[in-house]
């Protein structure tokens, strides 16, 4: 009698393919916690670089490991690694970011300086009986000094009169005490057409009036010329109607804008409203 072959039952192996995505998830979580921890230890500049690295990697469809030079490196980093990297890349600064207290102090100083300068100019105007020719106004972005054209120029001319030169020098000396502000000098005219051998239009006249006034300021101070900008607006920024002689007289003017400083969180430095524009 033949023995019936007995088959042992074997237990089926549990499918372990789920372990692969599970391990990937754990790895990603570990990487996330490492990144979060590192973000809490670095300054704003390093965080910006890290953000840039991830942005470039994901937007280009490449892995971070395929792009070892995503973050720009400076010459110091190149020197530490034998100087093999491209030294033309913009370097990362080691400067510590400004604290909130330092930022607040700088902005308060800027506001205080503008208020003090306005008081000095207002006193000069009152002492010299110039209230009909000069006025000042202060807002969140700038201290504006407005000068009627008849205090500076003869009709249809850009050469500054002698009295106007004294005024320009006095303002220049006051500005010399506040060298960190940017200054815009703007010429304005009324809408009466002008065309002569010297100036083809009100554009020409307004620009040259601003330039000639600026020349006097720079020749009589040690102020940095790169902080000054002369511009001409012609007849296109009136403050009054051009339908009356009084209105046209107010429109013919030179404006000196001393621009307020602001804090740029990206550059970690104080900049002026002019640079923001």
């Amino acid at each position: 009698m033949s023995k019936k072959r007995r088959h042992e039952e074997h237990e089926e192996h549990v499918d372990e393919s789920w372990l692969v995505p599970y391990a990937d998830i754990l790895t990603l979580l570990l990487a996330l916690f490492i990144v979060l921890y590192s973000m809490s230890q670095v300054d704003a500049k390093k965080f910006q670089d890290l953000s840039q690295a991830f942005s470039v990697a994901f937007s280009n469809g490449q892995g971070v490991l395929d792009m070892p030079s995503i973050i720009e490196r400076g010459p110091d980093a190149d020197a530490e690694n034998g100087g093999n990297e491209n030294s033309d890349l913009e370097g990362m600064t080691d400067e510590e970011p400004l604290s909130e207290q330092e930022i607040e102090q700088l902005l308060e100083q800027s506001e205080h300086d503008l208020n003090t300068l306005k008081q000095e100019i207002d006193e000069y105007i009152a002492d010299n009986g110039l209230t009909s020719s000069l006025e000042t106004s202060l807002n969140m972005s700038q201290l504006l000094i407005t000068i009627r054209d008849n205090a500076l120029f003869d009709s249809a001319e850009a050469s500054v009169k002698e009295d106007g030169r004294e005024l320009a020098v006095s303002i220049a000396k006051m500005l010399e005490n506040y060298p960190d502000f940017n200054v815009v000098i703007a010429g304005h005219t009324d809408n009466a057409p002008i065309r002569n051998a010297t100036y083809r239009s009100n554009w020409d006249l307004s620009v040259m009036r601003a330039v000639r006034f600026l020349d006097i300021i720079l020749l009589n101070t040690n102020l940095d010329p790169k902080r000054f900008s002369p511009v001409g607006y012609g007849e296109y920024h009136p403050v009054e109607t051009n339908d009356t002689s009084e209105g046209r007289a107010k429109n013919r003017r030179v404006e000196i804008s001393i621009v307020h400083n602001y804090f740029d969180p990206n550059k970690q430095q104080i900049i002026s409203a002019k640079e923001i524009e």
Side-chain angles (χ1 to χ4, degrees), residues 3-272:
K3 293 181 179 182
K4 186 179 295 184
R5 191 172 182 177
R6 186 175 179 180
H7 297 279
E8 295 181 358
E9 295 182 359
H10 297 281
E11 294 183 0
E12 294 184 0
H13 289 285
V14 178
D15 186 4
E16 298 179 350
S17 60
W18 62 273
L19 288 174
V20 175
Y22 179 71
D24 288 342
I25 292 174
L26 290 179
T27 303
L28 290 173
L29 286 174
L30 176 61
L32 174 63
F33 289 130
I34 292 174
V35 170
L36 291 174
Y37 175 77
S38 64
M39 286 166 55
S40 68
Q41 302 297 317
V42 300
D43 59 25
K45 173 63 179 173
K46 293 180 181 178
F47 173 71
Q48 183 180 359
D49 293 331
L50 180 63
S51 175
Q52 178 186 3
F54 279 109
S55 176
V56 172
F58 291 132
S59 63
N60 290 346
Q62 300 180 6
V64 174
L65 295 179
D66 297 329
M67 304 180 64
S69 299
I70 291 175
I71 299 179
E72 295 182 344
R73 303 167 57 121
D76 294 339
D78 295 339
E80 292 175 1
N81 293 280
N84 294 325
E85 299 293 336
N86 187 354
S87 61
D88 293 334
L89 295 177
E90 181 181 354
M92 295 168 55
T93 62
D94 294 329
E95 297 180 1
E96 291 294 327
L98 296 174
S99 66
E100 291 185 5
Q101 184 177 3
E102 290 173 326
I103 295 168
E104 185 176 352
Q105 289 175 348
L106 288 169
L107 295 178
E108 287 179 354
Q109 185 63 48
S110 171
E111 184 177 356
H112 175 268
D113 288 346
L114 277 186
N115 276 287
T116 303
L117 178 56
K118 183 181 187 303
Q119 292 175 7
E120 293 177 5
I121 296 173
D122 287 344
E123 290 177 5
Y124 175 84
I125 293 173
D127 292 343
N128 290 274
L130 298 173
T131 53
S132 61
S133 301
L134 276 79
E135 62 182 29
T136 63
S137 61
L138 179 63
N139 56 35
M140 292 295 292
S141 64
Q142 65 182 353
L143 168 61
L144 182 65
I145 307 168
T146 302
I147 310 173
R148 296 279 189 91
D149 76 323
N150 58 5
L152 300 174
F153 313 102
D154 290 324
S155 178
E157 294 292 336
S159 298
V160 182
K161 298 188 296 186
E162 187 60 34
D163 290 345
R165 293 180 65 86
E166 293 178 7
L167 171 60
V169 171
S170 298
I171 293 176
K173 294 301 182 183
M174 285 184 270
L175 289 176
E176 204 166 23
N177 297 322
Y178 307 94
D180 295 330
F181 287 110
N182 284 343
V183 179
V184 179
I185 299 177
H188 298 265
T189 68
D190 58 23
N191 66 345
I194 180 175
R195 187 177 183 85
N196 55 36
T198 307
Y199 308 108
R200 296 178 301 168
S201 67
N202 283 324
W203 284 111
D204 290 3
L205 179 60
S206 63
V207 169
M208 290 313 301
R209 284 183 167 182
V211 170
R212 295 286 81 85
F213 190 87
L214 175 58
D215 286 343
I216 299 172
I217 289 179
L218 296 180
L219 286 173
N220 289 275
T221 64
N222 294 319
L223 291 167
D224 189 350
K226 73 180 181 182
R227 291 193 172 274
F228 289 79
S229 302
V231 295
Y233 291 110
E235 64 201 68
Y236 299 104
H237 290 260
V239 292
E240 294 289 344
T241 178
N242 279 306
D243 295 335
T244 64
S245 58
E246 293 81 4
R248 289 192 295 272
K250 289 186 177 181
N251 290 333
R252 297 190 301 269
R253 67 200 188 277
V254 168
E255 292 178 338
I256 306 170
S257 300
I258 299 101
V259 184
H260 200 298
N261 290 331
Y262 294 94
F263 178 71
D264 185 342
N266 295 319
K267 295 182 180 179
Q268 283 290 316
Q269 66 183 22
I270 297 294
I271 63 173
S272 71

